[in-house]
Amino acid sequence: MDWLLLLIAGLFEWGWPVGLKFGMTDNGLHWGWIAFAVFCMFASGTLLLIAQKTIPMGTAYAVWTGIGATGAFILGLLLFAEPATLSRFFFVGLILMGIIGLKLTAAS
C-alpha cells in the first residue's frame, strides 16, 4: 500500500511545476494555478510522509523525485513544447531505470 501512496505522491509532484508555470505569466499572477501548485505540494509531501513508514527514506525520496522529474519532463513536452531531443529522452530513461532498480532492490 505504501508503494501505491508513493506513486500517487509522485503524480502530485507533476502538479506543482505545472501550476507554477501557468501561475506566472506576462499578464501577472494567476492565483488559481498557484493554489493548485500549493495543493499539489501539500498532497505530495503528505503522501511521501505516510509512505516512509515502511519504505526507506532514501529510496522513497529518490523514487518520489524521479517520478516527479519524469512527469514534469513529459508534461513539458506536451504542454509547453519543450525540446524533444534524443539526449533528453536518454537521460530521463536513466532516471526511470533508477526508479525501477530502487523498487526491485527495496527491503519492503
Side-chain angles (χ1 to χ4, degrees), residues 34-80:
I34 292 173
F36 173 76
V38 170
F39 170 78
C40 288
M41 289 177 201
F42 177 78
S44 182
T46 300
L47 292 171
L48 173 64
L49 172 73
I50 295 167
Q52 288 183 118
K53 288 188 307 187
T54 61
I55 301 170
M57 181 190 68
T59 300
Y61 184 74
V63 169
W64 178 67
T65 57
I67 293 169
T70 302
F73 169 76
I74 292 168
L75 290 173
L77 296 174
L78 298 174
L79 299 175
F80 306 110

Side-chain angles (χ1 to χ4, degrees), residues 8 11 22-23 25 27 31 35 45 49 58-59 61-62 69-71 74 88 101 106:
I8 296 168
L11 296 177
F22 281 133
T25 68
N27 297 326
W31 291 104
L49 172 73
T59 300
Y61 184 74
T70 302
I74 292 168
R88 293 184 81 213

